[in-house]
Amino acid sequence: MLHAIHFLNDSGEVIVEMFFQQKMSRSRLESYWNTFVHGLTSSEEPPSIVMHQDVIFAQVHKNYLYIVGTAQEEGSALVLLEELNLIVKVLTAYLIELSELTLRENFSLVCQLLQEIMDFGYPLTTELFALEELVPRPSLESKVRSLIESVPAAGGRPTAANPMGVGARQVLGSSGQVPWRDAATRHATNEILFDVVEYLDYVVDGDGQLSRALVRGEVLVNCKLSGMPDVVLRLDRLDVVDDIAFHRCVRQQRFDADRSVTFIPPDGKFTLLQYSVKPTLEFAAPSFYVTPQLAYSETGGRFNCMAGLRGGTGFSRPGSQQDAFGVAQQVRVKLLLPPHTTSINVTNCTSGSTSFDRKKSILTWVIGTVGSHSPSLGGDFVLDAAARAEAAASSAGPPAAASPTRNKRAETGGSTKSLLSSSCALVEFEIPNQNTSGLGVESVQVLNDIGKSYKGVKYMTRSGSFVVRTA
């Protein structure tokens, strides 16, 4: 159960906060920030959940925002994190992009959504369909609709059957047997689209070989069907799946019986299922390579990075003819430079553009599409004089005593060192029409549909936690 939720920027400033139980002193939040978040380097992450001053703090990080939830009673840690992720998902659907600017511009909307989603710290209304009836999206259409529904009419006038005077769609949606869908839904384009998206959690060594390979995926649905359709989805190669989780609209007993996914879909976009592939399977490396290199000197060092095709066809669904589409798009390389890097000088960039985040010491190289050419990047970086002196002193003499803040992080596991270091690069990309595991859609059948419906399926492979180490 959440007692409060706080939205903070990367400087620790509170943008939006709401208390569902008794208020907590701001000093406790500031103490948590100074102990576990402030001063972290680019290779460190704050703890997802930790207890500090008899208060449980859980946080998720997105777009330089820290969404912090607090609780004063011990419970399931995953429940707290799931509640925070649910709030992030809803706000992203409303605001398109969750950032400090959009939170400030839509302050009242965010507060309304938090009041509708949570009730005394417990999740109450979580479906977008129901939330959109209570809190319209910030658009011209919603403003016109609110004006129309505000006119006294049979649908909005308090009656014996509707004493609160809410709209008819709200009454039907809340009292029906399918709370996530309205039977009066109508669309001019009668279609349902499926996106099978897989994410690669890879660690590639300096020789281009896979040191760690995990694949997870999800099936995204964009439903624009009218009425109350019943969809039957059949998947092939389910034997490669290690674990699977469904949206609550899926009939679990039917899936256990004949392995078919049957459901009455919510209107709009939603995640139908998520799965992880068996780790015992062998996966091929992507059809492109990235080779980051770092060399150090007394004042800083040099960085070099190259990208290009391996010369093969990459990977695709077994038995499919999709090799010709295996081109990596929207490739972005994040080179982790040493902490306290003050400046960089890019001397060679044959393709794309670069940007440098001094606070996190991350150099981002946006390549775009990796085709027949092999783009390269090179330059120099300079370290802070104080950091160079500290590094020289630590290498020459005994290690200095750790600060109380660092000791506190070490005791609680707060300053969790990730797999990343200054000799690694994070790679982001997507490959359309590709599928690593071979899991695919065999057939889609729509029952109880109004008119002829269109069914479409698309495949996509994206980077998850894709780490490339230097040679």
Side-chain angles (χ1 to χ4, degrees):
M1 178 181 65
L2 281 178
H3 282 229
I5 184 170
H6 312 267
F7 293 82
L8 297 88
N9 58 16
D10 54 357
S11 300
E13 179 185 358
V14 177
I15 305 171
V16 181
E17 65 180 358
M18 179 168 291
F19 295 91
F20 307 109
Q21 299 289 334
Q22 60 183 1
K23 289 188 176 182
M24 181 186 68
S25 173
R26 180 67 65 84
S27 61
R28 289 189 175 183
L29 181 63
E30 294 176 352
S31 176
Y32 162 79
W33 179 269
N34 294 329
T35 304
F36 298 100
V37 183
H38 180 68
L40 292 180
T41 63
S42 59
S43 60
E44 296 177 328
E45 289 290 339
S48 297
I49 188 165
V50 68
M51 177 173 285
H52 179 66
Q53 295 185 356
D54 298 329
V55 178
I56 301 173
F57 291 87
Q59 67 85 25
V60 294
H61 188 203
K62 185 178 180 64
N63 293 341
Y64 300 100
L65 284 177
Y66 290 89
I67 298 91
V68 180
T70 60
Q72 297 182 352
E73 299 177 0
E74 290 193 13
S76 175
L78 292 179
V79 171
L80 294 178
L81 294 175
E82 185 63 23
E83 289 176 346
L84 294 179
N85 284 297
L86 171 64
I87 292 174
V88 170
K89 178 182 176 181
V90 172
L91 292 180
T92 303
Y94 267 79
L95 305 179
I96 306 302
E97 180 184 4
L98 183 59
S99 64
E100 180 179 355
L101 179 61
T102 56
L103 284 179
R104 294 187 184 277
E105 292 179 347
N106 301 273
F107 179 84
S108 60
L109 174 67
V110 173
C111 292
Q112 292 180 54
L113 286 173
L114 293 177
Q115 291 175 347
E116 297 295 345
I117 295 174
M118 307 298 295
D119 182 33
F120 287 95
Y122 293 96
L124 177 63
T125 307
T126 60
E127 294 293 339
L128 284 176
F129 151 70
L131 286 173
E132 288 175 350
E133 292 297 322
L134 300 171
V135 184
R137 291 176 182 261
S139 62
L140 180 61
E141 179 184 356
S142 64
K143 295 179 181 179
V144 175
R145 181 177 173 184
S146 62
L147 290 176
I148 296 176
E149 292 184 349
S150 64
V151 177
R157 184 185 302 121
T159 61
N162 187 8
M164 299 300 294
V166 298
R169 288 169 56 90
Q170 297 180 27
V171 176
L172 291 175
S174 61
S175 61
Q177 296 181 355
V178 185
W180 56 84
R181 186 173 183 86
D182 184 6
T185 301
R186 294 294 182 270
H187 289 284
T189 57
N190 205 32
E191 62 182 13
I192 182 169
L193 306 176
F194 295 86
D195 289 338
V196 182
V197 183
E198 291 193 339
Y199 302 91
L200 307 184
D201 295 334
Y202 282 8
V203 176
V204 183
D205 59 19
D207 298 328
Q209 304 298 322
L210 295 180
S211 301
R212 174 178 176 267
L214 295 176
V215 178
R216 52 189 171 86
E218 59 185 359
V219 177
L220 307 176
V221 182
N222 187 6
C223 178
K224 295 182 180 179
L225 298 175
S226 302
M228 294 288 286
D230 205 335
V231 181
V232 181
L233 174 69
R234 292 181 175 85
L235 304 173
D236 58 356
R237 295 210 62 185
L238 273 172
D239 56 309
V240 303
V241 174
D242 183 41
D243 191 17
I244 191 169
F246 294 102
H247 189 277
R248 68 169 181 165
C249 67
V250 177
R251 302 181 181 94
Q252 184 71 44
Q253 294 182 350
R254 175 72 181 274
F255 178 79
D256 296 336
D258 58 5
R259 312 301 286 178
S260 62
V261 183
T262 60
F263 58 97
I264 298 177
D267 190 45
K269 298 180 180 180
F270 67 99
T271 301
L272 178 64
L273 60 91
Q274 295 176 322
Y275 62 91
S276 59
V277 182
K278 294 179 179 178
T280 56
L281 299 179
E282 295 184 0
F283 303 108
S287 57
F288 69 97
Y289 65 87
V290 175
T291 57
Q293 294 179 350
L294 288 180
Y296 298 95
S297 64
E298 295 182 356
T299 59
R302 287 190 55 83
F303 58 85
N304 292 281
C305 189
M306 291 187 63
L309 297 177
R310 293 181 180 272
T313 56
F315 49 88
S316 62
R317 295 184 59 224
S320 65
Q321 302 294 328
Q322 299 176 343
D323 293 342
F325 302 96
V327 178
Q329 300 178 359
Q330 301 185 16
V331 180
R332 182 188 300 259
V333 180
K334 294 184 177 180
L335 190 61
L336 275 68
L337 299 178
H340 308 291
T341 299
T342 58
S343 62
I344 65 168
N345 179 29
V346 178
T347 59
N348 174 38
C349 182
T350 60
S351 179
S353 60
T354 61
S355 62
F356 178 62
D357 187 347
R358 180 177 177 180
K359 184 175 182 179
K360 295 189 175 182
S361 300
I362 296 179
L363 173 61
T364 302
W365 181 24
V366 180
I367 301 176
T369 301
V370 176
S372 57
H373 65 288
S374 297
S376 61
L377 175 70
D380 308 308
F381 61 90
V382 179
L383 293 176
D384 185 12
R388 296 198 305 267
E390 182 181 353
S394 61
S395 60
S403 64
T405 298
R406 292 294 179 181
N407 289 335
K408 182 64 177 179
R409 289 178 184 164
E411 293 172 4
T412 58
S415 91
T416 305
K417 282 275 189 179
S418 64
L419 292 175
L420 310 178
S421 67
S422 58
S423 59
C424 295
L426 294 176
V427 184
E428 300 176 0
F429 61 88
E430 65 178 31
I431 304 178
N433 303 305
Q434 291 287 342
N435 187 283
T436 309
S437 66
L439 181 89
V441 176
E442 181 179 343
S443 64
V444 179
Q445 185 179 6
V446 180
L447 307 176
N448 301 330
D449 56 337
I450 301 177
K452 187 177 180 180
S453 58
Y454 172 78
K455 287 90 69 176
V457 180
K458 184 175 65 175
Y459 296 90
M460 177 73 71
T461 295
R462 290 176 177 167
S463 59
S465 176
F466 199 97
V467 183
V468 180
R469 295 171 176 167
T470 58

